[in-house]
Amino acid sequence: MKFGVIVFPGSNCDHDAWYAASHNFGQEARFIWHDEHALGDVDVVILPGGFSYGDYLRCGAIARFSPVMAAVRKFAADGGLVAGICNGFQILVESGLLPGALMRNAGLKFVCAPVRIAAATTNSPFTNACEAGRPLTIPVAHGEGCYYADERTLDELEAEDRIAFRYIDNPNGSLRDIAGILNAGRNVMGMMPHPERATEPLVGSTGGRVIFESLIGALTLAR
Amino acid sequence: MSALTSELITPELIALHQLSEPEYAKILKILGREPSYPELGIFSVMWSEHCSYKSSRLHLKKLPTTGARVVQGPGENAGIIDIGGGYAIAFKIESHNHPSFIEPFQGAATGVGGILRDIFTMGARPIAVLDSLRFGPGSDPQCGARNRRILEGVVSGISHYGNCFGVPTVGGETIFEPCYNGNPLVNVFALGVFKKDEIFYAKASGIGNPVIYVGAKTGRDGIHGASMASAEFTEESKQKRPNVQMGDPFLEKLLLEACLEAMHTGAVLGIQDMGAAGLTCSTCEMGSRGGLGIEIELDQVPQRETGMTPYEIMLSESQERMLLVAEKGREEEVFRVFHKWGLDAAAIGTVTGDGLLRVRHHGDIVVEIPNRELADEAPLYDRPRTEPPRLAPMEAPEFASADLNADLLTILSSGDVCSKRWIWEQYDYMVRTNTIAGPGGDAAIVRIKETGTSVAISLDGGGRYCALSPRAGARLAVAECCRNLSTVGALPVAATNNLNFGNPERPEIMAQLVEAIEGIAEACEFFDTPITGGNVSLYNETLGEGIFPTPVMGIVGLLETRAPLTMNFKAAGRVIILLGGLGSCNEARFGGTQYAKAVLDTLWGLPPALDMEYELRVHKAMREIVPLAESAHDLSDGGLAVAIAESSFGGVGVGAAIELNSLMRPEHLLFHEGPSRILVSTSDPEGVERIARTHSVEALRIGVTVDSAIRVSNNGVELLDLDIASAERAWQGGLGFPASWPVQNAHPWNNSRLFENSSAL
């Protein structure tokens, strides 16, 4: 599998995603600079966490205009797998690749903590190895992670089984405890928790492994 | 040279620049003429206490600074030690006390920014930040509201800057005393890692080489920040808000990546960040270290505002700027990297052979000062000193506990001892996935991915103990840091210190400073942890009221990368051993404890007695015991009772049943803070005892781990009996801020339904 990790100015979990894919799962992984117009030969694209362009405006609001996002849109439209983590989720939402918005945490503070989430569907390349409802401990680290959408969109997400993860301990006030969602094509997923930080026991937990395993499994199957 | 003499230098102007008469006479002698206005400003900042250490330098020489692992001692941007495997770490602690009082958010944020630049200017990638914070109590009748506002502002400033920059804030300490009401302390420690053969120094080299300015544009912010940090606070200080700089962590992140990338081109020869005294400090210090001159043209300096004068440009403390010397002819390689990251980079001058800092503005020379005299020959004072003042009575008050359970709850919920979760959950303490032990433990541990080695870090400050005896308090701070490191299995190897004191022109304050430095020197010598750099912050006084003498130590240790030993009891039925024994105490030595502070609200006597020989043996034994231990927690604030309670707060409901046989009075037995003690739980008590014996250290079996309770008795008399849940509630809620999560979602979609789904599968 070839993982491409997008690097925006201000990305700071780019290295963590790269390290998890390459060292903890033995996959090929490379960085893709934000002003590149093509993604090259990759199977899955990760939009990593961080503060793209400083995020002084709404998080992700500037990154959506980055040259590489045109390539990501095209890649997604062609069915390529795109995972946005934390700031990556915010960017996917700002880009219109996923519905809704991520607002200031309900507690109004940045929260860094391991939280329990659970896959709400196993019908996606990002969650196929998960067991629905089984708690996974994965850290969050964000100030603006409160998922918001209008009632109709939320109902639609539920009706179409597009909620990827829900919080068991909701750290930010996200509506309907939503921690991660899928697009209609089920090939684009955004989530606020950081699975790449939970892929080896030494640094706390392994709850994120199953997400990487899902991806790797899906891609192996697709070959 | 007309521009050099165009302004009238009056005695008032000299006084306004906080230069004394003899200092001005020295300037006249160095220059052989009257200084120009910008030159006066330059001397003023470079010879300020903040930049020149003129009151402390003489005594700082007493600190041990060399050792087998030390690659770079004091005098550079940060100290460096060799960690083996071809890698090294750079680390230092620095204060941002004065700005954090005036503008807490930006003051603390730029404090983080400044120390991070010190680390990556040497070529190291920052991998950990820790903070030592001191505030006035939130419950203070007069200043409580302001104290809470300062605490909130400082914490969000650190959170904002560190999180956005992408460095984990992995630990620290937070202490409350009324003496910090008008003068909070914000000391930030940062640590970075690099290859040993890729270290960069802040030194100019090669006559004719270009001097390049990179990073943010220069504005009018922060002018005279260094001088502000060198004066006491008065009512007018609040007017100095424009002197506090604004931080831009995103820009700093870009600067980090660009600097490291530019360094890899091989075209960069020397580099220094622009911190205090900005362009002035970086030019003259780089010149001085290289024994060379530097000539710059201010027209070339990227500027944020129009019409800035030479004085303003030279003294601006705008953040996120660096000065570097590149190899002549390879400027383009450097520019290309900075432009890739969207940063300004401009050649503003050249290295010269004449040893002068020469500054031109529109072609005219406006500054011409010998670098060495400016940077390294600042006035040096052996300030008069008397004895440290007695800040509290020697005699103990009469007291007897009415309810030891209630006393423990009071201490657990007090500001110094309570859980700081509300603070550290606002910091991203995991980014870069190296954090093996984060905030809340005895020491933080970050792994070095490249080598299989981990670095443990502990910050600990004096304050209360130092108020009773600066020398003994300083020694205890060093001992505690080293004990913290040993408790997680790390060998202490090197130290940095931040000396926070009052006005050194007062002989009794000067005495505190000297006593503390000598105490640190003795202890660091003894524990073999040389000081590789640090910071001195003086004039920490508001309206003539000084802070407690507060030296803060940051000590780093090394250990093999492995799953960490944590402080929490893991399972019931394990033997609890008090390594080091019960220790001893008397009425005088009880006056600096948390019991005296939280329960009795007073201070008296002397700090706990420290036997460094015994302390060191405890450390050695502990490091050997680590593989046999299930938990280990060092005894410090609140003594044995607090250590037992904190070890029980691991979320698994395992506490302790302790039976003691001591003649000490119960208050002393439970709460005295004698050093050299570590609480260990183990399933191999014989193994632990055997190791302790070989080091001639007492290993006292005091009880066993049990479910859900904390019970202590002495000679059959019950002293404590609490359920863990109520004790933990007191401890968690002590800071007084409401938890910001989890958020109870009112929507019908809730946890039970989530699990209904799962049972269907």
Side-chain angles (χ1 to χ4, degrees):
Chain A
M1 300 308 113
K2 294 193 191 101
F3 282 73
V5 180
I6 309 282
V7 183
F8 298 99
S11 291
N12 58 32
C13 304
D14 47 347
H15 190 269
D16 300 351
W18 171 88
Y19 184 84
S22 59
H23 284 68
N24 296 339
F25 294 95
Q27 304 297 312
E28 208 179 312
R30 66 178 190 88
F31 294 110
I32 302 171
W33 185 234
H34 73 115
D35 63 3
E36 285 179 31
H37 291 270
L39 301 178
D41 174 24
V42 295
D43 300 306
V44 53
V45 169
I46 294 184
L47 276 66
F51 291 72
S52 53
Y53 302 91
D55 278 346
Y56 291 126
L57 196 56
R58 288 189 322 279
C59 298
I62 305 289
R64 63 175 280 214
F65 296 110
S66 209
V68 78
M69 282 311 293
V72 171
R73 270 192 208 94
K74 183 166 184 317
F75 181 74
D78 294 343
L81 298 183
V82 178
I85 299 168
C86 196
N87 190 225
F89 185 15
Q90 294 165 337
I91 295 167
L92 289 175
V93 165
E94 285 289 335
S95 306
L97 285 166
L98 292 172
L102 290 151
M103 314 216 304
R104 190 88 187 270
N105 291 351
L108 302 181
K109 303 280 183 202
F110 189 99
V111 175
C112 177
V115 299
R116 288 175 306 153
I117 66 169
T121 179
T122 55
N123 177 19
S124 87
F126 309 93
T127 57
N128 61 53
C130 298
E131 193 183 316
R134 182 166 166 240
L136 303 170
T137 299
I138 300 185
V140 293
H142 59 247
E144 302 185 13
C146 173
Y147 184 76
Y148 179 86
D150 57 41
E151 288 292 313
R152 220 187 62 195
T153 307
L154 294 171
D155 291 341
E156 201 174 284
L157 285 171
E158 278 172 5
E160 294 173 11
D161 194 25
R162 284 165 53 194
I163 296 176
F165 299 98
R166 287 184 201 273
Y167 295 110
I168 296 171
D169 326 291
N170 188 340
N172 51 34
S174 289
L175 294 182
R176 305 192 193 182
D177 296 324
I178 289 172
I181 56 170
L182 296 157
N183 69 344
R186 310 187 89 73
N187 64 320
V188 176
M189 188 273 295
M191 65 188 296
M192 287 313 293
H194 285 273
E196 81 284 7
R197 295 187 183 186
T199 54
E200 49 183 326
L202 198 57
V203 289
S205 66
T206 50
R209 287 192 67 90
V210 67
I211 296 166
F212 281 85
E213 283 158 8
S214 295
L215 267 172
I216 293 163
L219 288 165
T220 313
L221 211 66
R223 292 221 146 167
Chain B
M1 295 279 279
S2 63
L4 282 179
T5 51
S6 61
E7 318 240 357
L8 189 65
I9 305 298
T10 62
E12 292 75 40
L13 196 60
I14 295 165
L16 202 65
H17 282 79
Q18 291 170 10
L19 288 162
S20 68
E21 268 178 48
E23 285 171 349
Y24 187 68
K26 189 167 177 184
I27 293 171
L28 292 178
K29 195 161 157 250
I30 288 170
L31 294 178
R33 58 176 165 78
E34 276 207 342
S36 65
Y37 182 52
E39 285 175 337
L40 186 71
I42 285 172
F43 274 109
S44 160
V45 291
M46 286 307 295
W47 289 7
S48 69
E49 189 66 57
H50 186 78
C51 289
S52 73
Y53 298 93
K54 57 190 170 189
S55 303
S56 58
R57 212 157 16 125
L58 199 64
H59 301 286
L60 293 174
K61 286 185 186 147
K62 297 170 185 169
L63 296 170
T65 58
T66 53
R69 289 184 179 276
V70 177
V71 177
Q72 174 65 52
E76 264 285 347
N77 283 303
I80 300 175
I81 61 159
D82 189 344
I83 58 165
Y87 279 78
I89 53 173
F91 63 94
K92 196 167 84 165
I93 190 166
E94 205 162 78
S95 65
H96 233 209
N97 304 337
H98 296 77
S100 300
F101 177 56
I102 295 173
E103 168 50 54
F105 181 92
Q106 289 295 345
T110 53
V112 176
I115 189 68
L116 287 172
R117 277 195 302 285
D118 279 335
I119 301 303
F120 71 79
T121 192
M122 307 200 77
R125 179 179 284 279
I127 57 165
V129 162
L130 292 89
D131 312 284
S132 171
L133 308 177
R134 282 173 170 74
F135 306 101
S139 57
D140 190 278
Q142 271 95 49
C143 313
R146 186 180 69 188
N147 289 338
R148 291 166 71 85
R149 186 181 63 79
I150 292 173
L151 166 66
E152 285 209 70
V154 164
V155 171
S156 48
I158 292 168
S159 158
H160 166 70
Y161 207 100
N163 295 354
C164 181
F165 178 83
V167 66
T169 300
V170 296
E173 55 162 7
T174 310
I175 304 290
F176 301 88
E177 287 283 354
C179 70
Y180 306 114
N181 272 338
N183 200 120
L185 302 184
V186 175
N187 293 181
V188 186
F189 170 102
L191 181 143
V193 62
F194 45 6
K195 284 190 185 151
K196 213 181 129 189
D197 55 3
E198 291 179 355
I199 299 171
F200 282 79
Y201 292 101
K203 190 173 153 186
S205 60
I207 296 168
N209 278 333
V211 175
I212 297 175
Y213 171 114
V214 299
K217 290 178 170 48
T218 296
R220 288 192 170 95
D221 49 341
I223 291 171
H224 271 303
S227 314
M228 177 180 77
S230 307
E232 286 182 35
F233 271 117
T234 59
E235 276 304 318
E236 290 100 69
S237 298
K238 290 176 193 157
Q239 306 298 319
K240 290 190 173 175
R241 194 160 292 155
N243 281 19
V244 179
Q245 316 87 322
M246 299 277 286
D248 180 349
F250 169 60
L251 194 58
E252 179 118 324
K253 163 76 173 164
L254 301 182
L255 196 58
L256 159 76
E257 300 297 343
C259 283
L260 296 187
E261 202 173 315
M263 287 166 175
H264 276 121
T265 63
V268 177
L269 302 174
I271 177 165
Q272 174 155 1
D273 77 300
M274 294 192 220
L279 194 51
T280 292
C281 187
S282 51
T283 46
C284 73
E285 285 192 356
M286 282 187 80
S288 178
R289 288 200 192 96
L292 293 165
I294 283 187
E295 177 168 335
I296 59 172
E297 167 56 73
L298 295 181
D299 293 355
Q300 304 301 324
V301 173
Q303 290 163 48
R304 199 192 302 152
E305 300 167 64
T306 53
M308 287 183 72
T309 64
Y311 182 97
E312 289 171 329
I313 299 170
M314 289 304 289
L315 267 58
S316 162
E317 293 191 1
S318 290
Q319 298 287 291
E320 292 94 23
R321 304 179 299 162
M322 293 273 199
L323 193 74
L324 57 88
V325 171
E327 202 178 314
K328 192 177 166 65
R330 298 183 67 182
E331 295 90 334
E332 275 309 315
E333 290 176 57
V334 175
F335 292 156
R336 210 176 302 132
V337 172
F338 284 92
H339 293 155
K340 173 189 159 189
W341 288 94
L343 295 170
D344 271 316
I348 62 166
T350 48
V351 177
T352 67
D354 59 14
L356 297 174
L357 168 62
R358 189 180 298 109
V359 179
R360 290 177 188 271
H361 190 233
H362 308 325
D364 296 332
I365 294 171
V366 292
V367 170
E368 200 170 74
I369 309 173
N371 278 326
R372 199 167 53 82
E373 280 80 351
L374 176 60
D376 297 333
E377 292 188 8
L380 185 61
Y381 294 119
D382 187 2
R383 295 202 186 272
R385 58 186 196 271
T386 49
E387 289 288 309
R390 254 328 295 171
L391 299 177
M394 275 309 283
E395 305 74 37
E398 289 284 329
F399 70 93
S401 173
D403 181 348
L404 291 165
N405 283 322
D407 292 347
L408 175 57
L409 293 177
T410 300
I411 294 170
L412 287 174
S413 65
S414 70
D416 292 1
V417 174
C418 73
S419 168
K420 305 303 187 310
R421 175 183 291 266
W422 181 87
I423 293 175
W424 51 255
E425 271 190 354
Q426 295 183 49
Y427 306 147
D428 187 342
Y429 54 87
M430 298 183 265
V431 62
R432 299 203 71 78
T433 59
N434 295 319
T435 307
I436 290 180
D442 285 321
I445 307 176
V446 287
R447 67 167 166 187
I448 308 298
K449 285 195 181 104
E450 294 83 354
T451 65
T453 304
S454 289
V455 179
I457 309 144
S458 170
L459 290 197
D460 189 71
R464 213 168 158 77
Y465 293 165
C466 286
L468 299 176
S469 163
R471 183 183 297 262
R475 286 159 37 128
L476 283 162
V478 174
E480 177 164 354
C481 278
C482 292
R483 188 162 66 246
N484 284 335
L485 295 172
S486 300
T487 302
V488 299
L491 175 71
V493 292
T496 176
N497 63 354
N498 206 135
L499 304 169
N500 307 277
F501 288 78
N503 180 350
E505 292 161 47
R506 290 171 34 185
E508 71 278 15
I509 302 286
M510 198 58 212
Q512 291 176 337
L513 175 64
V514 173
E515 287 278 315
I517 290 174
E518 289 177 0
I520 292 170
E522 290 163 19
C524 282
E525 186 84 52
F526 186 84
F527 291 106
D528 201 13
T529 52
I531 300 276
T532 60
N535 175 251
V536 181
S537 171
L538 302 177
Y539 298 96
N540 286 291
E541 303 196 0
T542 297
L543 303 172
E545 188 126 351
I547 58 165
F548 283 167
T550 315
V552 173
M553 299 303 306
I555 304 194
V556 300
L558 299 177
L559 70 164
E560 227 177 82
T561 298
R562 59 170 178 248
L565 176 62
T566 62
M567 64 159 75
N568 303 121
F569 298 136
K570 306 293 184 297
R574 303 295 188 261
V575 174
I576 298 175
I577 290 177
L578 185 55
L579 186 70
L582 288 171
S584 64
C585 187
N586 58 35
E587 294 295 332
R589 299 276 182 192
F590 197 63
T593 60
Q594 288 295 329
Y595 189 94
K597 179 175 177 176
V599 178
L600 305 174
D601 190 24
T602 182
L603 175 69
W604 77 85
L606 294 168
L610 170 67
D611 174 350
M612 292 205 292
E613 295 277 356
Y614 188 66
E615 178 80 44
L616 186 63
R617 292 207 301 275
V618 170
H619 299 178
K620 286 180 174 164
M622 183 64 228
R623 290 195 297 271
E624 274 183 51
I625 288 167
V626 166
L628 306 184
E630 267 190 14
S631 75
H633 185 19
D634 116 272
L635 268 62
S636 59
D637 287 357
L640 177 62
V642 166
I644 293 168
E646 286 178 341
S647 298
S648 307
F649 299 156
V652 290
V654 178
I658 307 287
E659 287 177 20
L660 304 169
N661 297 291
S662 166
L663 296 175
M664 263 189 266
R665 63 180 285 187
E667 295 90 341
H668 288 185
L669 182 61
L670 292 175
F671 300 109
H672 90 80
E673 296 176 6
S676 318
R677 299 183 297 162
I678 300 167
L679 192 71
V680 174
S681 74
T682 178
S683 50
D684 182 6
E686 291 80 18
V688 171
E689 285 162 341
R690 200 177 318 116
I691 292 169
R693 222 166 18 245
T694 63
H695 292 279
S696 307
V697 165
E698 199 177 345
L700 194 65
R701 286 196 204 204
I702 59 170
V704 289
T705 54
V706 296
D707 284 329
S708 67
I710 298 168
R711 287 196 301 272
V712 179
S713 66
N714 186 34
N715 299 321
V717 179
E718 181 189 291
L719 302 182
L720 292 177
D721 186 3
L722 285 167
D723 65 292
I724 294 174
S726 58
E728 184 166 3
R729 236 184 342 267
W731 180 71
Q732 288 287 8
L735 214 49
F737 291 97
S740 60
W741 77 283
V743 178
Q744 290 311 317
N745 196 329
H747 196 272
W749 251 110
N750 58 26
N751 301 343
S752 57
R753 193 149 150 212
L754 191 82
F755 286 104
E756 274 168 35
N757 264 6
S758 70
S759 60
L761 278 166

